[in-house]
Every structure is written in structure tokens, then in C-alpha cells.
Amino acid sequence: MNHLANYWHLWTVTAVIVWIGLHCATHFVLPALRLKVQLAQANTHLTQWLEQSLGTRIDLDDIEQGAMTTPALRHAWQQYATSLQPQWESTSTGPLGAARQRASHLSRAFFAHMNMRSDGGRLDLADMEHLASSDEEMASLWTEYQQAVDTLQHLESATQARAGQWQASNHAENFFTDQSLVDSPLQTHFFAHIPGILTGVGIIGTFTGLIAGLIGFDVSNPAQVQSELSQLVQTVGHAFLVSALAITLAMVFTWLEKSLLTGRYQQVEQLQQNLDSLFKPHAGAPHLERLTLAAEMQAHLSHKILQQLRGDTLAGPSR
């Protein structure tokens, strides 16, 4: 009992070191291992979708329920899902591509002919209607263009309704980040300082043992100097053992922390690659193409509205 009482300070420092080690194990190591399993499950689920044949309808709800099993993953997925759009097929393939090409070609031909008739002057919708009705070639072009746009709108609606194919407007790395999926849940910024804390506690234990040994060292009685010196050496030796334990734990935790984090970052990178492979984020060219066709459709619809309004105006006085 007296022996334990003489080394109370070293036992206190040892207890602090053990408590820090248990805290790191329960609040960092075990959560990191659980996150490993969760990210592996997400990547496995996405890989299964990638291995399916092309043209398979992608079920976004199934991906959310099967792969996004943590709050951080689910939150990132909800943000990422807002960037998904029905897949925009290339203008050079399929019936939809042919319809886009025909509408675009007729639009250019119609407006080029209109510019020639107007001698480069400014046109409003009324002038466009007048020129289109007074010129047989322009009237024919306009009729063909209306039919092409109607066909294109029908194909667009049918494609979006049946496809179930999605395309992202942004890369997955902008949503599924290391900060949100790994650093925040595991509190990596705090646990990165644990090795330094352990080393500091070990140094405190060393100095505490030295101070306690020197305070108890009594040289006033020559007969007890040898026993006092032996006690001092034992106290200092135990203090160095406690410091060595703290430094060893700091080194082990540093290796363990870097290994766990590196593995989780690699899993997040694999998750990003799987999502980009599945949803194929596109560049800005398809957006420009869509805007061009949308403008052409808007002109077509505006002309229809103007014709209807003029027809109602002409029919008004005769009623």
C-alpha cells in the first residue's frame, strides 16, 4: 500500500494515458471501421448497377436505400440527386437525334431565307408572319419546321418518360467530399492532435516522477543516503517507463490513424468514380444545344400564339 502511495503521481499519469487510449479506440478507431463497412457497402451496390447491361432503368430510390446508409451519405446524395437530369442523347444517334437535326436544319434555312427577304432589317413577330404567309417557299419551310418541332417535342416527352437514364450536371466529388464523409464524422481534426497530447502527458509523467523523487530525497542523514538514492533511481526509472509508454502509444496511434484515414479516403474516391461512371457528368455543350433548341421552340410557340391572337381579333367584329 505504501508502495502505491509513493507512486500515486505515476499511477495518475498512467491512468490518463490509458483513458486517452480507450477514448481514441471507442470514438475514432471503431467508428472508422464501421465507416469502412458502410462505404464498402455503398461501393458494392453502385458496382452492381455498373455491371448491369446498358439501357437498364436506373432506380434512384434503390440507390439511396441500398448505398446511402449513413446520414452523411444520404445528405450528400440528396444534394447530388438535384443535379441529375434525364439523359440527353447525342444529336447524331437515334430517332431523337435525327429529329433534332431536322428541326435545327429547317430553323436555319427558314431564318436565313427570312433574313434575305428582309434585306437584313429588323423583324418582329408580325413581320415574320407576313413574310411567311406571302412567300410560298417560306410558307413551306415554316410548315415543315412546325411539323419537325411537334415531332421533336413528342419524342422528347416519350424519351424522358420511358428512359430512366440519368445524367449528372456536376461531378460527384463536389458533393461526396472527404470533409463531409470522413473528416467530420470521425472528428479527424481533433484526433490528429492525440499523438502530441500523449507525448506531452508522458513528459509530464517524467517530470512529475523527477520532482517527487527529488522532494523525497533526504541527505541530512548519511546512514539513509544510500536507501534514499535507491528510491530516487526507482522513481525516476518508473517515470521514464511511463513516458516511454506514452510515446509508444503516440507512435502506434499515428500509424493507425494514417492507415484508417488513407483507406477511407480511397473508398470515397472509389465512390466518386462509381457515381461518375454511372451518371456520366456532361460538359457545357449539351446545355448550349438545349438552349438553342429551346429558343427555336419558343419562337415556334410564340408564332402560334400570335396567329391565335390575330385570329381572335379578326373574328371579334363579326360576332
Side-chain angles (χ1 to χ4, degrees):
M1 200 59 150
N2 291 333
H3 183 74
L4 293 177
N6 291 334
Y7 295 103
W8 64 269
H9 48 283
L10 297 180
W11 287 111
T12 301
V13 173
T14 302
V16 171
I17 293 173
V18 172
W19 178 82
I20 293 175
L22 291 175
H23 182 78
C24 292
T26 56
H27 290 78
F28 179 80
V29 177
L30 292 180
L33 294 176
R34 285 196 297 268
L35 182 60
K36 176 183 179 181
V37 175
Q38 293 161 349
L39 290 175
Q41 178 182 348
N43 282 321
T44 301
H45 194 81
L46 292 174
T47 301
Q48 292 174 354
W49 276 106
L50 287 171
E51 291 175 351
Q52 294 179 7
S53 60
L54 295 176
T56 302
R57 184 180 185 277
I58 299 177
D59 190 345
L60 300 183
D61 292 333
D62 178 74
I63 292 178
E64 180 175 4
Q65 295 172 5
M68 311 303 163
T69 56
T70 69
L73 281 171
R74 194 172 299 112
H75 177 70
W77 169 256
Q78 290 172 354
Q79 292 182 317
Y80 179 72
T82 60
S83 72
L84 300 179
Q85 301 170 354
Q87 190 168 0
W88 179 254
E89 299 176 358
S90 172
T91 57
S92 60
T93 59
L96 187 58
R100 290 199 188 107
Q101 288 182 339
R102 177 171 172 76
S104 179
H105 173 74
L106 290 172
S107 173
R108 288 193 297 268
F110 176 80
F111 287 105
H113 193 76
M114 180 174 290
N115 287 333
M116 291 176 58
R117 289 294 308 275
S118 63
D119 296 328
R122 182 177 179 181
L123 287 173
D124 56 21
L125 290 177
D127 295 332
M128 185 174 69
E129 180 187 11
H130 175 71
L131 288 174
S133 61
S134 61
D135 187 290
E136 292 184 2
E137 184 177 355
M138 289 188 64
S140 176
L141 282 173
W142 182 253
T143 301
E144 291 183 40
Y145 177 68
Q146 286 180 321
Q147 294 173 352
V149 170
D150 289 338
T151 302
L152 178 58
Q153 289 176 330
H154 176 72
L155 288 174
E156 285 279 0
S157 301
T159 300
Q160 293 184 9
R162 69 152 177 83
Q165 298 295 320
W166 300 91
Q167 192 169 33
S169 60
N170 215 331
H171 289 276
E173 65 181 5
N174 295 321
F175 301 92
F176 295 85
T177 63
D178 294 337
Q179 173 66 33
S180 62
L181 299 183
V182 179
D183 293 340
S184 293
L186 298 182
Q187 305 178 51
T188 57
H189 294 295
F190 169 75
F191 286 102
H193 299 288
I194 292 298
I197 294 174
L198 284 171
T199 303
V201 171
I203 293 173
I204 291 175
T206 300
F207 279 102
T208 302
L210 287 172
I211 293 171
L214 291 174
I215 290 176
F217 187 68
D218 184 10
V219 295
S220 60
N221 188 351
Q224 297 183 353
V225 169
Q226 186 174 359
S227 62
E228 292 288 341
L229 184 60
S230 176
Q231 181 68 26
L232 175 62
V233 171
Q234 290 181 8
T235 303
V236 172
H238 291 144
F240 278 112
L241 285 177
V242 171
S243 181
L245 173 64
I247 294 175
T248 301
L249 286 178
M251 295 173 63
V252 170
F253 182 78
T254 299
W255 175 82
L256 192 60
E257 178 211 16
K258 300 305 179 186
S259 299
L260 291 173
L261 289 181
T262 300
R264 302 301 76 73
Y265 291 149
Q266 289 176 346
Q267 286 182 300
V268 171
E269 183 178 0
Q270 182 64 42
L271 178 68
Q272 296 169 355
Q273 293 175 357
N274 286 336
L275 287 170
D276 285 342
S277 299
L278 187 61
F279 295 108
K280 297 179 177 60
H282 52 71
H287 284 298
L288 295 177
E289 186 178 355
R290 285 180 131 168
L291 289 174
T292 301
L293 289 175
E296 294 172 353
M297 292 181 187
Q298 184 64 35
H300 166 67
L301 293 175
S302 298
H303 184 63
K304 278 188 174 180
I305 294 173
L306 180 60
Q307 286 180 325
Q308 184 177 1
L309 290 176
R310 287 183 174 276
D312 292 341
T313 302
L314 294 174
S318 62
R319 291 174 183 169

mmCIF file of all heavy atoms in Angstrom, residues 222-267:
data_model
loop_
_atom_site.group_PDB
_atom_site.id
_atom_site.type_symbol
_atom_site.label_atom_id
_atom_site.label_comp_id
_atom_site.label_asym_id
_atom_site.label_seq_id
_atom_site.Cartn_x
_atom_site.Cartn_y
_atom_site.Cartn_z
ATOM 1 N N PRO A 222 23.254 10.693 6.823
ATOM 2 C CA PRO A 222 24.176 9.929 5.973
ATOM 3 C C PRO A 222 23.892 8.439 5.962
ATOM 4 O O PRO A 222 24.158 7.764 4.973
ATOM 5 C CB PRO A 222 25.554 10.211 6.592
ATOM 6 C CG PRO A 222 25.361 11.516 7.307
ATOM 7 C CD PRO A 222 23.958 11.492 7.839
ATOM 8 N N ALA A 223 23.282 7.924 7.011
ATOM 9 C CA ALA A 223 23.032 6.488 7.074
ATOM 10 C C ALA A 223 21.936 6.063 6.104
ATOM 11 O O ALA A 223 21.879 4.901 5.691
ATOM 12 C CB ALA A 223 22.643 6.080 8.504
ATOM 13 N N GLN A 224 21.076 6.990 5.745
ATOM 14 C CA GLN A 224 19.950 6.670 4.858
ATOM 15 C C GLN A 224 20.146 7.185 3.432
ATOM 16 O O GLN A 224 19.247 7.088 2.617
ATOM 17 C CB GLN A 224 18.652 7.250 5.429
ATOM 18 C CG GLN A 224 18.261 6.660 6.772
ATOM 19 C CD GLN A 224 16.943 7.215 7.272
ATOM 20 O OE1 GLN A 224 16.394 8.139 6.678
ATOM 21 N NE2 GLN A 224 16.457 6.661 8.387
ATOM 22 N N VAL A 225 21.334 7.763 3.147
ATOM 23 C CA VAL A 225 21.563 8.329 1.819
ATOM 24 C C VAL A 225 21.463 7.258 0.745
ATOM 25 O O VAL A 225 20.860 7.463 -0.328
ATOM 26 C CB VAL A 225 22.924 9.038 1.759
ATOM 27 C CG1 VAL A 225 23.292 9.386 0.320
ATOM 28 C CG2 VAL A 225 22.911 10.291 2.620
ATOM 29 N N GLN A 226 22.047 6.085 1.040
ATOM 30 C CA GLN A 226 22.044 5.025 0.040
ATOM 31 C C GLN A 226 20.615 4.558 -0.271
ATOM 32 O O GLN A 226 20.241 4.371 -1.438
ATOM 33 C CB GLN A 226 22.898 3.846 0.513
ATOM 34 C CG GLN A 226 23.047 2.775 -0.563
ATOM 35 C CD GLN A 226 24.020 1.683 -0.133
ATOM 36 O OE1 GLN A 226 24.600 1.748 0.967
ATOM 37 N NE2 GLN A 226 24.230 0.707 -0.998
ATOM 38 N N SER A 227 19.800 4.364 0.763
ATOM 39 C CA SER A 227 18.428 3.934 0.537
ATOM 40 C C SER A 227 17.611 5.033 -0.149
ATOM 41 O O SER A 227 16.757 4.757 -1.022
ATOM 42 C CB SER A 227 17.766 3.534 1.859
ATOM 43 O OG SER A 227 17.705 4.654 2.739
ATOM 44 N N GLU A 228 17.873 6.290 0.213
ATOM 45 C CA GLU A 228 17.170 7.408 -0.438
ATOM 46 C C GLU A 228 17.566 7.502 -1.906
ATOM 47 O O GLU A 228 16.723 7.756 -2.783
ATOM 48 C CB GLU A 228 17.511 8.724 0.270
ATOM 49 C CG GLU A 228 16.964 8.849 1.677
ATOM 50 C CD GLU A 228 15.458 9.054 1.689
ATOM 51 O OE1 GLU A 228 14.900 9.458 0.619
ATOM 52 O OE2 GLU A 228 14.818 8.792 2.725
ATOM 53 N N LEU A 229 18.836 7.274 -2.185
ATOM 54 C CA LEU A 229 19.298 7.328 -3.567
ATOM 55 C C LEU A 229 18.679 6.181 -4.387
ATOM 56 O O LEU A 229 18.293 6.374 -5.546
ATOM 57 C CB LEU A 229 20.823 7.245 -3.608
ATOM 58 C CG LEU A 229 21.466 7.374 -4.995
ATOM 59 C CD1 LEU A 229 21.119 8.712 -5.624
ATOM 60 C CD2 LEU A 229 22.975 7.194 -4.886
ATOM 61 N N SER A 230 18.574 4.999 -3.761
ATOM 62 C CA SER A 230 17.934 3.872 -4.441
ATOM 63 C C SER A 230 16.470 4.177 -4.748
ATOM 64 O O SER A 230 15.975 3.855 -5.832
ATOM 65 C CB SER A 230 18.067 2.620 -3.577
ATOM 66 O OG SER A 230 17.382 1.526 -4.171
ATOM 67 N N GLN A 231 15.796 4.799 -3.791
ATOM 68 C CA GLN A 231 14.389 5.162 -4.001
ATOM 69 C C GLN A 231 14.245 6.187 -5.130
ATOM 70 O O GLN A 231 13.321 6.113 -5.953
ATOM 71 C CB GLN A 231 13.808 5.734 -2.698
ATOM 72 C CG GLN A 231 12.348 6.122 -2.756
ATOM 73 C CD GLN A 231 11.441 4.912 -2.902
ATOM 74 O OE1 GLN A 231 11.805 3.805 -2.501
ATOM 75 N NE2 GLN A 231 10.273 5.109 -3.506
ATOM 76 N N LEU A 232 15.179 7.157 -5.194
ATOM 77 C CA LEU A 232 15.144 8.168 -6.243
ATOM 78 C C LEU A 232 15.336 7.536 -7.616
ATOM 79 O O LEU A 232 14.620 7.863 -8.579
ATOM 80 C CB LEU A 232 16.240 9.213 -5.988
ATOM 81 C CG LEU A 232 16.424 10.282 -7.074
ATOM 82 C CD1 LEU A 232 15.149 11.111 -7.236
ATOM 83 C CD2 LEU A 232 17.615 11.180 -6.739
ATOM 84 N N VAL A 233 16.279 6.606 -7.722
ATOM 85 C CA VAL A 233 16.534 5.942 -9.005
ATOM 86 C C VAL A 233 15.312 5.145 -9.449
ATOM 87 O O VAL A 233 14.931 5.148 -10.633
ATOM 88 C CB VAL A 233 17.776 5.040 -8.901
ATOM 89 C CG1 VAL A 233 17.924 4.185 -10.164
ATOM 90 C CG2 VAL A 233 19.027 5.879 -8.695
ATOM 91 N N GLN A 234 14.661 4.454 -8.510
ATOM 92 C CA GLN A 234 13.465 3.693 -8.854
ATOM 93 C C GLN A 234 12.335 4.612 -9.345
ATOM 94 O O GLN A 234 11.642 4.308 -10.326
ATOM 95 C CB GLN A 234 12.996 2.889 -7.642
ATOM 96 C CG GLN A 234 13.919 1.743 -7.272
ATOM 97 C CD GLN A 234 13.406 0.964 -6.082
ATOM 98 O OE1 GLN A 234 12.282 1.184 -5.620
ATOM 99 N NE2 GLN A 234 14.231 0.045 -5.569
ATOM 100 N N THR A 235 12.178 5.743 -8.623
ATOM 101 C CA THR A 235 11.126 6.680 -9.019
ATOM 102 C C THR A 235 11.383 7.244 -10.410
ATOM 103 O O THR A 235 10.468 7.321 -11.249
ATOM 104 C CB THR A 235 11.033 7.828 -8.001
ATOM 105 O OG1 THR A 235 10.791 7.285 -6.697
ATOM 106 C CG2 THR A 235 9.921 8.800 -8.370
ATOM 107 N N VAL A 236 12.629 7.641 -10.668
ATOM 108 C CA VAL A 236 12.966 8.180 -11.983
ATOM 109 C C VAL A 236 12.809 7.111 -13.066
ATOM 110 O O VAL A 236 12.320 7.373 -14.178
ATOM 111 C CB VAL A 236 14.398 8.744 -11.973
ATOM 112 C CG1 VAL A 236 14.841 9.136 -13.381
ATOM 113 C CG2 VAL A 236 14.493 9.933 -11.035
ATOM 114 N N GLY A 237 13.196 5.872 -12.768
ATOM 115 C CA GLY A 237 13.052 4.790 -13.730
ATOM 116 C C GLY A 237 11.596 4.535 -14.095
ATOM 117 O O GLY A 237 11.247 4.366 -15.273
ATOM 118 N N HIS A 238 10.723 4.528 -13.078
ATOM 119 C CA HIS A 238 9.298 4.357 -13.350
ATOM 120 C C HIS A 238 8.739 5.518 -14.169
ATOM 121 O O HIS A 238 7.874 5.326 -15.038
ATOM 122 C CB HIS A 238 8.528 4.215 -12.036
ATOM 123 C CG HIS A 238 8.823 2.941 -11.326
ATOM 124 N ND1 HIS A 238 8.888 2.843 -9.941
ATOM 125 C CD2 HIS A 238 9.109 1.687 -11.799
ATOM 126 C CE1 HIS A 238 9.169 1.606 -9.594
ATOM 127 N NE2 HIS A 238 9.312 0.886 -10.718
ATOM 128 N N ALA A 239 9.234 6.724 -13.877
ATOM 129 C CA ALA A 239 8.773 7.891 -14.636
ATOM 130 C C ALA A 239 9.158 7.770 -16.107
ATOM 131 O O ALA A 239 8.369 8.074 -17.009
ATOM 132 C CB ALA A 239 9.369 9.167 -14.038
ATOM 133 N N PHE A 240 10.363 7.291 -16.375
ATOM 134 C CA PHE A 240 10.782 7.102 -17.769
ATOM 135 C C PHE A 240 9.991 5.983 -18.449
ATOM 136 O O PHE A 240 9.720 6.054 -19.656
ATOM 137 C CB PHE A 240 12.279 6.807 -17.828
ATOM 138 C CG PHE A 240 13.133 8.043 -17.771
ATOM 139 C CD1 PHE A 240 13.932 8.308 -16.669
ATOM 140 C CD2 PHE A 240 13.133 8.954 -18.821
ATOM 141 C CE1 PHE A 240 14.714 9.456 -16.614
ATOM 142 C CE2 PHE A 240 13.923 10.101 -18.774
ATOM 143 C CZ PHE A 240 14.704 10.357 -17.660
ATOM 144 N N LEU A 241 9.606 4.967 -17.695
ATOM 145 C CA LEU A 241 8.782 3.903 -18.271
ATOM 146 C C LEU A 241 7.420 4.451 -18.693
ATOM 147 O O LEU A 241 6.899 4.104 -19.766
ATOM 148 C CB LEU A 241 8.617 2.769 -17.250
ATOM 149 C CG LEU A 241 9.823 1.849 -17.043
ATOM 150 C CD1 LEU A 241 9.532 0.826 -15.955
ATOM 151 C CD2 LEU A 241 10.188 1.140 -18.345
ATOM 152 N N VAL A 242 6.836 5.308 -17.838
ATOM 153 C CA VAL A 242 5.548 5.912 -18.186
ATOM 154 C C VAL A 242 5.688 6.781 -19.428
ATOM 155 O O VAL A 242 4.843 6.758 -20.336
ATOM 156 C CB VAL A 242 5.010 6.730 -16.998
ATOM 157 C CG1 VAL A 242 3.782 7.538 -17.414
ATOM 158 C CG2 VAL A 242 4.656 5.811 -15.847
ATOM 159 N N SER A 243 6.763 7.545 -19.510
ATOM 160 C CA SER A 243 6.998 8.383 -20.690
ATOM 161 C C SER A 243 7.191 7.529 -21.942
ATOM 162 O O SER A 243 6.677 7.850 -23.022
ATOM 163 C CB SER A 243 8.228 9.262 -20.457
ATOM 164 O OG SER A 243 8.469 10.093 -21.578
ATOM 165 N N ALA A 244 7.925 6.419 -21.800
ATOM 166 C CA ALA A 244 8.137 5.527 -22.944
ATOM 167 C C ALA A 244 6.812 4.920 -23.405
ATOM 168 O O ALA A 244 6.560 4.776 -24.617
ATOM 169 C CB ALA A 244 9.123 4.430 -22.571
ATOM 170 N N LEU A 245 5.934 4.570 -22.438
ATOM 171 C CA LEU A 245 4.621 4.035 -22.792
ATOM 172 C C LEU A 245 3.812 5.060 -23.586
ATOM 173 O O LEU A 245 3.188 4.726 -24.601
ATOM 174 C CB LEU A 245 3.863 3.641 -21.518
ATOM 175 C CG LEU A 245 2.399 3.223 -21.700
ATOM 176 C CD1 LEU A 245 2.304 1.959 -22.541
ATOM 177 C CD2 LEU A 245 1.734 3.019 -20.336
ATOM 178 N N ALA A 246 3.830 6.321 -23.132
ATOM 179 C CA ALA A 246 3.072 7.369 -23.817
ATOM 180 C C ALA A 246 3.601 7.593 -25.240
ATOM 181 O O ALA A 246 2.822 7.720 -26.191
ATOM 182 C CB ALA A 246 3.141 8.663 -23.015
ATOM 183 N N ILE A 247 4.916 7.631 -25.393
ATOM 184 C CA ILE A 247 5.496 7.857 -26.723
ATOM 185 C C ILE A 247 5.208 6.681 -27.645
ATOM 186 O O ILE A 247 4.904 6.860 -28.829
ATOM 187 C CB ILE A 247 7.013 8.111 -26.596
ATOM 188 C CG1 ILE A 247 7.270 9.419 -25.847
ATOM 189 C CG2 ILE A 247 7.664 8.150 -27.978
ATOM 190 C CD1 ILE A 247 8.724 9.691 -25.560
ATOM 191 N N THR A 248 5.253 5.462 -27.110
ATOM 192 C CA THR A 248 4.943 4.278 -27.922
ATOM 193 C C THR A 248 3.501 4.316 -28.399
ATOM 194 O O THR A 248 3.207 4.048 -29.580
ATOM 195 C CB THR A 248 5.200 3.000 -27.114
ATOM 196 O OG1 THR A 248 6.568 2.965 -26.694
ATOM 197 C CG2 THR A 248 4.880 1.766 -27.951
ATOM 198 N N LEU A 249 2.570 4.645 -27.478
ATOM 199 C CA LEU A 249 1.163 4.743 -27.865
ATOM 200 C C LEU A 249 0.957 5.840 -28.898
ATOM 201 O O LEU A 249 0.137 5.695 -29.816
ATOM 202 C CB LEU A 249 0.298 5.012 -26.624
ATOM 203 C CG LEU A 249 0.091 3.827 -25.681
ATOM 204 C CD1 LEU A 249 -0.745 4.258 -24.472
ATOM 205 C CD2 LEU A 249 -0.594 2.673 -26.407
ATOM 206 N N ALA A 250 1.688 6.957 -28.771
ATOM 207 C CA ALA A 250 1.570 8.046 -29.740
ATOM 208 C C ALA A 250 2.004 7.576 -31.127
ATOM 209 O O ALA A 250 1.353 7.881 -32.138
ATOM 210 C CB ALA A 250 2.415 9.237 -29.294
ATOM 211 N N MET A 251 3.094 6.822 -31.199
ATOM 212 C CA MET A 251 3.569 6.321 -32.483
ATOM 213 C C MET A 251 2.583 5.309 -33.077
ATOM 214 O O MET A 251 2.282 5.341 -34.277
ATOM 215 C CB MET A 251 4.947 5.692 -32.313
ATOM 216 C CG MET A 251 6.036 6.674 -31.906
ATOM 217 S SD MET A 251 7.604 5.865 -31.503
ATOM 218 C CE MET A 251 8.005 5.130 -33.080
ATOM 219 N N VAL A 252 2.057 4.408 -32.227
ATOM 220 C CA VAL A 252 1.106 3.412 -32.713
ATOM 221 C C VAL A 252 -0.161 4.093 -33.232
ATOM 222 O O VAL A 252 -0.691 3.746 -34.298
ATOM 223 C CB VAL A 252 0.769 2.404 -31.599
ATOM 224 C CG1 VAL A 252 -0.401 1.507 -32.005
ATOM 225 C CG2 VAL A 252 1.991 1.556 -31.272
ATOM 226 N N PHE A 253 -0.649 5.086 -32.465
ATOM 227 C CA PHE A 253 -1.881 5.761 -32.882
ATOM 228 C C PHE A 253 -1.663 6.554 -34.170
ATOM 229 O O PHE A 253 -2.560 6.632 -35.021
ATOM 230 C CB PHE A 253 -2.392 6.684 -31.782
ATOM 231 C CG PHE A 253 -3.678 7.362 -32.132
ATOM 232 C CD1 PHE A 253 -4.885 6.684 -32.044
ATOM 233 C CD2 PHE A 253 -3.695 8.679 -32.572
ATOM 234 C CE1 PHE A 253 -6.074 7.290 -32.383
ATOM 235 C CE2 PHE A 253 -4.878 9.298 -32.921
ATOM 236 C CZ PHE A 253 -6.078 8.598 -32.821
ATOM 237 N N THR A 254 -0.491 7.172 -34.329
ATOM 238 C CA THR A 254 -0.199 7.904 -35.567
ATOM 239 C C THR A 254 -0.265 6.974 -36.769
ATOM 240 O O THR A 254 -0.877 7.300 -37.796
ATOM 241 C CB THR A 254 1.188 8.553 -35.487
ATOM 242 O OG1 THR A 254 1.211 9.490 -34.403
ATOM 243 C CG2 THR A 254 1.517 9.289 -36.782
ATOM 244 N N TRP A 255 0.358 5.803 -36.661
ATOM 245 C CA TRP A 255 0.318 4.828 -37.761
ATOM 246 C C TRP A 255 -1.108 4.360 -38.010
ATOM 247 O O TRP A 255 -1.552 4.260 -39.158
ATOM 248 C CB TRP A 255 1.215 3.644 -37.412
ATOM 249 C CG TRP A 255 1.132 2.546 -38.428
ATOM 250 C CD1 TRP A 255 1.788 2.459 -39.618
ATOM 251 C CD2 TRP A 255 0.307 1.370 -38.344
ATOM 252 N NE1 TRP A 255 1.445 1.306 -40.280
ATOM 253 C CE2 TRP A 255 0.526 0.613 -39.523
ATOM 254 C CE3 TRP A 255 -0.578 0.887 -37.394
ATOM 255 C CZ2 TRP A 255 -0.112 -0.593 -39.765
ATOM 256 C CZ3 TRP A 255 -1.216 -0.316 -37.631
ATOM 257 C CH2 TRP A 255 -0.993 -1.043 -38.809
ATOM 258 N N LEU A 256 -1.844 4.079 -36.919
ATOM 259 C CA LEU A 256 -3.209 3.583 -37.062
ATOM 260 C C LEU A 256 -4.112 4.643 -37.679
ATOM 261 O O LEU A 256 -4.932 4.350 -38.565
ATOM 262 C CB LEU A 256 -3.745 3.166 -35.690
ATOM 263 C CG LEU A 256 -5.051 2.369 -35.658
ATOM 264 C CD1 LEU A 256 -4.885 1.065 -36.421
ATOM 265 C CD2 LEU A 256 -5.468 2.099 -34.220
ATOM 266 N N GLU A 257 -3.954 5.890 -37.235
ATOM 267 C CA GLU A 257 -4.793 6.977 -37.758
ATOM 268 C C GLU A 257 -4.556 7.183 -39.253
ATOM 269 O O GLU A 257 -5.510 7.265 -40.042
ATOM 270 C CB GLU A 257 -4.489 8.272 -36.997
ATOM 271 C CG GLU A 257 -5.280 9.457 -37.493
ATOM 272 C CD GLU A 257 -4.541 10.772 -37.336
ATOM 273 O OE1 GLU A 257 -3.311 10.746 -37.117
ATOM 274 O OE2 GLU A 257 -5.188 11.822 -37.457
ATOM 275 N N LYS A 258 -3.299 7.236 -39.653
ATOM 276 C CA LYS A 258 -2.996 7.461 -41.069
ATOM 277 C C LYS A 258 -3.477 6.294 -41.932
ATOM 278 O O LYS A 258 -3.972 6.495 -43.050
ATOM 279 C CB LYS A 258 -1.497 7.679 -41.266
ATOM 280 C CG LYS A 258 -0.929 8.867 -40.503
ATOM 281 C CD LYS A 258 -1.663 10.152 -40.810
ATOM 282 C CE LYS A 258 -1.100 11.324 -40.029
ATOM 283 N NZ LYS A 258 -1.900 12.559 -40.213
ATOM 284 N N SER A 259 -3.343 5.074 -41.415
ATOM 285 C CA SER A 259 -3.793 3.912 -42.181
ATOM 286 C C SER A 259 -5.307 3.929 -42.364
ATOM 287 O O SER A 259 -5.813 3.709 -43.472
ATOM 288 C CB SER A 259 -3.367 2.625 -41.467
ATOM 289 O OG SER A 259 -1.960 2.546 -41.350
ATOM 290 N N LEU A 260 -6.046 4.207 -41.286
ATOM 291 C CA LEU A 260 -7.505 4.226 -41.369
ATOM 292 C C LEU A 260 -7.994 5.344 -42.279
ATOM 293 O O LEU A 260 -8.895 5.142 -43.103
ATOM 294 C CB LEU A 260 -8.107 4.371 -39.969
ATOM 295 C CG LEU A 260 -7.945 3.157 -39.044
ATOM 296 C CD1 LEU A 260 -8.431 3.492 -37.634
ATOM 297 C CD2 LEU A 260 -8.707 1.957 -39.589
ATOM 298 N N LEU A 261 -7.422 6.534 -42.140
ATOM 299 C CA LEU A 261 -7.878 7.666 -42.943
ATOM 300 C C LEU A 261 -7.544 7.459 -44.420
ATOM 301 O O LEU A 261 -8.357 7.782 -45.287
ATOM 302 C CB LEU A 261 -7.250 8.964 -42.432
ATOM 303 C CG LEU A 261 -7.759 9.463 -41.083
ATOM 304 C CD1 LEU A 261 -7.080 10.774 -40.706
ATOM 305 C CD2 LEU A 261 -9.269 9.655 -41.107
ATOM 306 N N THR A 262 -6.358 6.936 -44.697
ATOM 307 C CA THR A 262 -5.988 6.693 -46.092
ATOM 308 C C THR A 262 -6.956 5.705 -46.741
ATOM 309 O O THR A 262 -7.391 5.893 -47.887
ATOM 310 C CB THR A 262 -4.554 6.158 -46.183
ATOM 311 O OG1 THR A 262 -3.653 7.128 -45.628
ATOM 312 C CG2 THR A 262 -4.166 5.875 -47.633
ATOM 313 N N GLY A 263 -7.313 4.657 -45.992
ATOM 314 C CA GLY A 263 -8.268 3.693 -46.522
ATOM 315 C C GLY A 263 -9.633 4.295 -46.783
ATOM 316 O O GLY A 263 -10.271 4.021 -47.806
ATOM 317 N N ARG A 264 -10.108 5.183 -45.865
ATOM 318 C CA ARG A 264 -11.428 5.799 -46.040
ATOM 319 C C ARG A 264 -11.406 6.787 -47.208
ATOM 320 O O ARG A 264 -12.368 6.878 -47.959
ATOM 321 C CB ARG A 264 -11.863 6.507 -44.762
ATOM 322 C CG ARG A 264 -11.944 5.644 -43.500
ATOM 323 C CD ARG A 264 -12.893 4.477 -43.602
ATOM 324 N NE ARG A 264 -12.343 3.384 -44.397
ATOM 325 C CZ ARG A 264 -11.359 2.559 -43.980
ATOM 326 N NH1 ARG A 264 -10.813 2.746 -42.796
ATOM 327 N NH2 ARG A 264 -10.923 1.586 -44.753
ATOM 328 N N TYR A 265 -10.314 7.533 -47.352
ATOM 329 C CA TYR A 265 -10.231 8.475 -48.472
ATOM 330 C C TYR A 265 -10.244 7.725 -49.807
ATOM 331 O O TYR A 265 -10.847 8.185 -50.789
ATOM 332 C CB TYR A 265 -8.959 9.313 -48.362
ATOM 333 C CG TYR A 265 -8.963 10.295 -47.212
ATOM 334 C CD1 TYR A 265 -7.783 10.652 -46.565
ATOM 335 C CD2 TYR A 265 -10.146 10.864 -46.753
ATOM 336 C CE1 TYR A 265 -7.779 11.549 -45.515
ATOM 337 C CE2 TYR A 265 -10.153 11.760 -45.684
ATOM 338 C CZ TYR A 265 -8.955 12.094 -45.078
ATOM 339 O OH TYR A 265 -8.964 12.978 -44.034
ATOM 340 N N GLN A 266 -9.585 6.576 -49.855
ATOM 341 C CA GLN A 266 -9.589 5.778 -51.082
ATOM 342 C C GLN A 266 -10.988 5.257 -51.381
ATOM 343 O O GLN A 266 -11.403 5.211 -52.550
ATOM 344 C CB GLN A 266 -8.606 4.618 -50.943
ATOM 345 C CG GLN A 266 -7.140 5.040 -50.950
ATOM 346 C CD GLN A 266 -6.194 3.880 -50.713
ATOM 347 O OE1 GLN A 266 -6.610 2.795 -50.286
ATOM 348 N NE2 GLN A 266 -4.917 4.094 -50.966
ATOM 349 N N GLN A 267 -11.742 4.882 -50.347
ATOM 350 C CA GLN A 267 -13.114 4.417 -50.563
ATOM 351 C C GLN A 267 -14.005 5.548 -51.064
ATOM 352 O O GLN A 267 -14.858 5.335 -51.930
ATOM 353 C CB GLN A 267 -13.679 3.841 -49.261
ATOM 354 C CG GLN A 267 -13.115 2.480 -48.898
ATOM 355 C CD GLN A 267 -13.751 1.931 -47.635
ATOM 356 O OE1 GLN A 267 -13.675 2.532 -46.564
ATOM 357 N NE2 GLN A 267 -14.380 0.777 -47.759
#
